[in-house]
Amino acid sequence: MTARPKLTCEEDELMEMQEAFRSGRLENSSTSEIIKAPRANSNEEKKSMFAQRREMADKMKEKQFHFQLPKVQVLRDVVEKCEIQERKVEDLKRENPFPEVFQRTKSLKASGSGSIFAQQLRKAKMVREEAAENPPVKLPPFPNQSSTIAQAVLGETEATKIHQENLQKLSSMTKEDILREQQQLLQNLDPKLVALLKNKKQAALNSKQVVVEAKPVDQTMEEVEPEVEEVQELKNSKWVHMDRVEKEKVRWMSSLPPIKEISGESFQARFDFQGHLLPANVDFPVTSALHHHGEEPERAGYSINELMLLSRSSKMQQRVLALNTIASVLENTRLGLYDSCFESPLIPTLLDNGILLLLRFCMDDSAPSVVVASLVAFSRLLSSPFDETCLERCNIWHGGEKQPNLCSRIEMDPTDQEQEPEMKDNEMIRVDVIKACLRMDVPWRIRYILEEIRPEARAVVAALEILTRMARHSPAVAQSILDCPRLMDTIFRCFLPKDWASLNTSQDQTEEIDNLYGSPVRQVLRLARVIASWNPELAITLVTKYSILESIKIYVAMDTIELKLPSQEALLLVLDCYHTWRTLLQQGIGMQSFLEFYPVWFPQLQYYQSSISMDSGTSNNSNARFSHHLGASMLLLMEALLSTCCNSGSCSGNCSGNHKHLHIKEIGGLREAVEMCVAKWAWQLRKLTYPVPDSAGCLLAAGIHLLATFYTHWIDPQAPLLLDKLCSNHILPLLHSGPMQELAKSLVNHSNLASTLESCSRYPESLPSVNATALGGELIPIMASSSPFPLIASIFRILRIWKVKSSSTQTIDLKLPNSYFDYLEKLNRSPSALSGNWFTRYELHFLHEFLMIGAEWAVFTPDQAQVAHQVALTAITSLGPGAEAIVVNWISRLIFHPEFIQRGCDLETNLEQLQINETTKSLLSKTVNELSQVAKFYSSHLFPGTLTGDSSTALTLEHRQVLPADWIYLPLVMLYQKDLEKPLEDNGLVSQTALYSLQAVYVLLSLRPTWFFRIQPAEHYARLACTFMAGNDLFLEKSICDYMWPILRKLAVQHLDFSRPVAGVDDFIDLYDRLINQFEAVSYGSPLFAAFVLLPIQQQQPVRFRTKLWCEHSNALRILTLDDQQMLDSLDRWKYPIETDEVLLLKYASSIRSGLITSERNSVLFKIATHHIKHYVERNPVALDKFNF
């Protein structure tokens, strides 16, 4: 039997196999014998019912048509025609099976020679006799293809007749007539059709035919599409059935057209199968399989439209290829590789064009491979694996258990919320992508896929990533995932099993596994961690219903070698177990399980004390790095237990909390063991001659944080002595060591706040992200390797505790190298675009410890204190939720602390440099000394619960800032909003709120003008307007006026621009209108209020403000009784440039004529009006009659 061809066969081998097959089949070889059906044992051959019916039908045909069909042997060569051996009846062929209809000639008329019918019969008879006398010329055979087609359609007789008529017609024409008709015929025909006919003619066999000479036609008629080189080779090939060329089918094999030059800067984006954007003018070989598309065939790659169309192909392989390519494109987009490549961000554009609906449809495909590809693409659309990796890395940092709240940034008003159920899917996608996924039943579909299809490993991981990203949206979505029937049961049963026997295996898996069913998957722990971070109720559901703590304890207790997982996955699984347990402890769950498991952990802690060193992570040894990360996770887990128990009043023993759950004896030896580890690691770190390893720094930082938490809540009399010994013998020498000084030099390079990288806007508001990469795909600095912030922040934290609890009376000189102050100088130069990034929160925690230790230990020089004060003012607006305590500390101990402000600058010298008069000097000095009350006011007003200890301990935090850029005006704005809701009562609280706010504004405006005017002066004007519009007589109080006058004078000299939009104000002209109405109603001609109203009508401001006051509020003009000395700035700002608006000038003149304004009562307005009228009349004398002035 002939073997099947293989991929490795050469062409010669294939030709030999072909010849052997053909010869074997013609000789009735064994191949045909094998194909024959087996015979029965009886001698008589049985015929099937189908064979009998076929034989009967053959007999009926022979009887009916009287001709014999040739006998064709079964399994012989198939031929195209069969010749008739015997023919009895002539096969008459007609164009029309019905008799021809007799039609008379209309030109004939009845006459004496006979009727019309008789005349027509005689004429037809004469034509037949003439044709009999002149027999037709015998024509040569028609070898070309067109004559063959004519014979097949018309029959041989009709074709001969037509050909004869053509020859007779040509013989009666001259050569000129023939050429003229040929030209006319070619002009009327389609050029493509002419080229096709000529191509067929050239392909015909050479034979005798009528040749007609003709003049050459246009070049466009002569052009024939070049034949494909591959086709020419196939004609001469020995392959079977390859001698016939079908050009329409092999047109795609022709050579590609040359690459066109791209005109302009933009062109259609095309990607390869790895999702890489291909250059426009680069020639790729056709073997790359990137040219199989209709548009722009010369360019390699596929456009997004072609990929989306291909994903709905009827061919499964094409759907899989398209979805995999889309997934790669989305992943590269989320990495920031295409930030500057497109006119608009790619992901928002794809969402607007229905990519989410398309991928959801593909998840319903019946082919498992398509479902896998669609899950991966859906996951890449919703989340970024790189972002998740960066969030995972933060778990070994103090405070890294916090999770970001990634709900939609688009706020819906109550009306839209009521109409939300009626929204279509595409409308919901524009508002909130995750809610649209819930509406599309994505969790339910994932449940079905995991239960029934049981896909491969990467699809399982993608499904868990989708659920994790959805759970980050809100607690309602997390609850919906838990409530999905059998979803979490399937996930925990299949991918987080508790069966010890199924987990324990003697085989060491080093490669990735394709089937994850029955094996623990660490992404399940990440999903559970995100769900549990929302609130304790969800965490309790995971513990009670799904027994997640039981699974965690099994994986932690087992040796990683015994897990049926690759070595790296097994190590990461154990780390995720510690991180998840830490999250549960932060929610107050799992304390008893921790105490039960403490005897298992304590030997591990002793092992770290004896065997793990700081220099083991310097080499590329993954096991050493894992040991450091595992130790840091264990120590942070214990620190979370202590912090939760002590802060919630659940600890017992010599602690400041109530005696309920945790007793010091239950964790006996913990402090001693950790202190010995920290002492050993600190000594080893001081002896290093190379940079501090990242993993080693995190391990030491975790140990220091555990001791800091322990000593914070430990009130034993021996605690201060033990803390003195620890800090003086180990922590301070470590801080002053060479490796730590080298680590401090890298602060600027790893700083987000000092970075010049630009943030990106590659995500829509309906699908936010944490943005681990900046514009252009650059990794944000703080997430780079060897980040110095965790270790230095832990050292500063325990030193601050030592400062408070130290029993030593001697002064400790805390000298810091200049690299720390260089870092502060860098922060003070310009604000960073990454200040609002999620990961910047860890740098802000370090900055908090640094600024506080500098203020408490008095390590700042006057210049450094001034820089630190400005850095605190700038960085306070970058703090997010969860950092309310830091805001309060900065306000009370840095920003509004009298001693720190006076330490930062010599107040008297500063006042002399500012050229302030004696009255202002005394006011500023008095205000600075009273800043302690201002600090308490702001702390209690901005965050009431922080001072009382009711601060929130939520683990999932919103991705926003807790203070706006104009936070200094928040009390005034809130006062105005309360007045709008309900008129304010005349009590001391209202005046005190306004007074404290104006004192804070006055001090910062006087001492930090650069920081104060980082926002435009028009915004300051809008906020200060609340002082005049909140209440009816607040601005009349002397204490308020004492601060408002100097504030407005400093504001007036700035470049006010009321033509630009003002943040927080929908329409500034409406605000100005309300301000004038308030002035008319309650001002009583207050000079302060009048000067404030006149600021927007300066000549460089838009004319609509002057029109609003002069034309629409004439009553306000009468009580504007300012004089020159009461003006906030020079009167020239209201005089120049000269007014050109005639309507306003006419109003000036009418106000003077009517006595609405007079030189005695309204001296300022009178001077302004007369000045503009005078100069306008000088330029336009004819306008004098118009003014009648």
Side-chain angles (χ1 to χ4, degrees), residues 75 159 321 385 407 411 909:
L75 297 177
L321 182 65
C407 64
E411 297 183 0
T909 304

Side-chain angles (χ1 to χ4, degrees), residues 614 679-689 692 700 728-740:
M614 289 289 97
K680 170 191 172 183
W681 295 335
W683 181 83
Q684 291 177 344
L685 201 62
R686 286 157 47 193
K687 301 301 181 181
L688 291 179
T689 58
V692 179
L700 180 56
S728 59
N729 295 339
H730 304 289
I731 302 300
L732 272 182
L734 174 64
L735 180 63
H736 296 150
S737 64
M740 290 302 301

Side-chain angles (χ1 to χ4, degrees), residues 641-657:
L641 176 69
L642 290 176
S643 178
T644 303
C645 291
C646 297
N647 291 334
S648 61
S650 301
C651 68
S652 182
N654 295 328
C655 178
S656 59

Side-chain angles (χ1 to χ4, degrees), residues 335 384-397 400 472 526 770-773 779-780 782-784 837-839 842:
L335 289 175
S384 171
F386 187 76
D387 290 349
E388 292 293 339
T389 302
C390 291
L391 289 173
E392 290 289 324
R393 185 186 175 192
C394 296
N395 281 311
I396 60 174
W397 295 354
R472 293 190 187 278
R526 181 194 300 170
V770 293
N771 294 331
T773 54
L779 178 67
I780 57 176
I782 195 174
M783 297 308 300
N837 189 276
W838 167 261
F839 299 99
Y842 301 105

